[in-house]
Amino acid sequence: MVKSSEHNHPVKAFGWAARDSSGHLSPFNFFRRSVGEKDVALKVLYCGLCHYDLHQTKNELGNSEYPMVPGHEIVGEVTEVGSRVTRFKVGDKAGVGCMVGSCQSCENCARDLENYCRKMIRTFNSKDHDGTTTYGGFSDVMVVDEHFVVAIPDNLPLAGVAPLLCIGITAYSPLKYYGLDKPGLHLGVVGLGGLGHIAVKFAKAMGLKVTVISTSPGKREDALEHLSANSFLVSRDPEQMQSAAGSMDGIINTAVGIRDLVPLIDLLKSDGKLVMVTAPDKPLDIPAALLLLERKMVGGSLIGGMKETQEMIDFASKHNITSDVEVIPMDYVNVANERLVKGDVRYRFVIDIGNTLKSTC
Ligand code: NAP
Ligand code: ZN
């Protein structure tokens, strides 16, 4: 494996990294590449803490390499641009999400679906074009090809925008692709965490009727009053679930840990679509009869392409949508990880990298 070194990556960087599958993060000095002609350099200001970061730092997906600097919900200020960069200038606010590269020549890339490119390069724990390891946004500086950088409008608070680079596009893209963006349709959102609460916000802004399906009865009031969901079901209560059977046009499943999809499929109308945006750790066991009897569908969706990510941010700007955040200092991240496992955050931790990263070293 080729590692970043001072020789091929001369830009000094500082961040927090996991060293092993305990997932514990601690200060880490490393290097990034110098700004190429199509690159944008960012001073990182905020970075969200996603459950995917936790899956990766703890090697729950089995592909983790250490040291690992996580973070893929990044906003910052442009500090340098390469000679062929056209969309950004120094001082602009810009965002980076889950990917920093792709082959840019396959069928999917040609369709603006870099997220489905087989050579997609993830923002961290991935191999870059030059074979070096990518490091994420829990760090002071990023250097990224401008194609994978998103322009951030002025009207939104930056801390609340950062998570949109991942959870915003992950919610927005399947609503569009599966035709679940039409006013009046009834959408179920399973799991009221980071991804779930943003799915509710986008769906409401698109004019949908939204039901939250949760394992946590204590989230009812927040879902109905704060997020303006239309109704709330406790997924562990068979009577409540039965009362809503056959009522939904679509369901987005964001819940970590839910494996039994049968009660969710039962909630769908004929032609209804259940979209998985989270992957349970065991294969799914779905009786095919449940799908064919009423022409139902179970599909999946992974983030979204760069063009659609910009479209999502512009939609968020128009409808004033940001993530609900608890802004934390860098040195709180290990406590935040523990709280995230327990679902103890409404609804996203965002690290104030710009003001707190350096003070910890
Ligand atoms: P999160 O903030 O931790 O929320 C997950 C929610 O799942 C919890 O709030 C909880 O909601 C529900 N849940 C049900 N059973 C659970 C359990 N056993 N343990 C923990 N939570 C449980 O996570 P997130 O950041 O929204 O991410 C959700 C999932 O989406 C993760 O697996 C992540 O990797 C994945 N993801 C996928 C994409 C994509 O492109 N497809 C992008 C980003 C993230 P209730 O209390 O309401 O039940
Ligand atoms: Zn994420």
Side-chain angles (χ1 to χ4, degrees), residues 273-287:
K273 297 158 186 167
L274 168 59
V275 185
M276 301 292 292
V277 292
T278 185
D281 56 2
K282 299 251 166 41
L284 301 173
D285 190 5
I286 305 169

Side-chain angles (χ1 to χ4, degrees), residues 50 52 72-73 166 348:
C50 176
Y52 179 76
H72 59 272
E73 301 181 345
C166 168
R348 201 49 141 198

Side-chain angles (χ1 to χ4, degrees), residues 51 55 215 236 253-260 278-281:
H51 215 113
H55 291 319
T215 60
R236 293 188 177 124
N253 181 19
T254 79
V256 179
I258 289 197
R259 288 200 204 109
D260 184 6
T278 185
D281 56 2

Side-chain angles (χ1 to χ4, degrees), residues 1 117 154 266 273:
M1 183 181 72
C117 170
D154 289 334
D266 278 342
K273 297 158 186 167

Side-chain angles (χ1 to χ4, degrees), residues 200-223:
V200 175
K201 290 190 184 193
F202 276 112
K204 289 297 297 182
M206 289 170 183
L208 277 72
K209 175 183 168 191
V210 179
T211 296
V212 170
I213 303 151
S214 171
T215 60
S216 310
K219 292 181 182 173
R220 176 185 294 272
E221 197 183 321
D222 213 30

Side-chain angles (χ1 to χ4, degrees), residues 236-299:
R236 293 188 177 124
D237 182 334
E239 269 182 38
Q240 282 190 33
M241 294 293 276
Q242 188 52 41
S243 71
S247 70
M248 297 179 192
D249 299 283
I251 296 176
I252 305 273
N253 181 19
T254 79
V256 179
I258 289 197
R259 288 200 204 109
D260 184 6
L261 299 190
V262 172
L264 301 181
I265 294 169
D266 278 342
L267 292 173
L268 293 171
K269 294 179 185 169
S270 302
D271 293 340
K273 297 158 186 167
L274 168 59
V275 185
M276 301 292 292
V277 292
T278 185
D281 56 2
K282 299 251 166 41
L284 301 173
D285 190 5
I286 305 169
L290 268 189
L291 303 180
L292 60 92
L293 280 177
E294 291 184 77
R295 205 163 62 174
K296 294 176 180 176
M297 177 198 286
V298 177

Side-chain angles (χ1 to χ4, degrees), residues 122-331:
R122 289 183 179 271
T123 304
F124 70 95
N125 193 40
S126 195
K127 287 286 167 277
D128 214 332
H129 292 298
D130 62 4
T132 58
T133 299
T134 57
Y135 292 120
F138 292 7
S139 63
D140 54 357
V141 58
M142 295 289 296
V143 179
V144 180
D145 180 332
E146 82 159 325
H147 186 80
F148 294 90
V149 182
V150 174
I152 305 294
D154 289 334
N155 68 317
L156 299 175
L158 291 181
V161 170
L164 298 185
L165 276 304
C166 168
I167 53 178
I169 186 61
T170 301
Y172 183 88
S173 184
L175 291 175
K176 296 296 247 189
Y177 176 74
Y178 287 101
L180 297 170
D181 58 344
K182 313 284 182 295
L185 292 184
H186 183 189
L187 181 80
V189 174
V190 186
L192 197 59
L195 200 35
H197 96 290
I198 277 295
V200 175
K201 290 190 184 193
F202 276 112
K204 289 297 297 182
M206 289 170 183
L208 277 72
K209 175 183 168 191
V210 179
T211 296
V212 170
I213 303 151
S214 171
T215 60
S216 310
K219 292 181 182 173
R220 176 185 294 272
E221 197 183 321
D222 213 30
L224 299 179
E225 286 173 24
H226 171 60
L227 295 169
S228 305
N230 301 82
S231 49
F232 184 92
L233 299 173
V234 177
S235 52
R236 293 188 177 124
D237 182 334
E239 269 182 38
Q240 282 190 33
M241 294 293 276
Q242 188 52 41
S243 71
S247 70
M248 297 179 192
D249 299 283
I251 296 176
I252 305 273
N253 181 19
T254 79
V256 179
I258 289 197
R259 288 200 204 109
D260 184 6
L261 299 190
V262 172
L264 301 181
I265 294 169
D266 278 342
L267 292 173
L268 293 171
K269 294 179 185 169
S270 302
D271 293 340
K273 297 158 186 167
L274 168 59
V275 185
M276 301 292 292
V277 292
T278 185
D281 56 2
K282 299 251 166 41
L284 301 173
D285 190 5
I286 305 169
L290 268 189
L291 303 180
L292 60 92
L293 280 177
E294 291 184 77
R295 205 163 62 174
K296 294 176 180 176
M297 177 198 286
V298 177
S301 190
L302 180 80
I303 46 175
M306 293 315 302
K307 192 172 166 205
E308 195 175 41
T309 303
Q310 188 67 61
E311 181 187 306
M312 175 278 303
I313 287 283
D314 296 342
F315 182 92
S317 168
K318 187 170 165 204
H319 294 272
N320 245 316
I321 296 173
T322 51
S323 173
D324 291 9
V325 296
E326 180 176 335
V327 178
I328 57 170
M330 187 71 240
D331 61 4

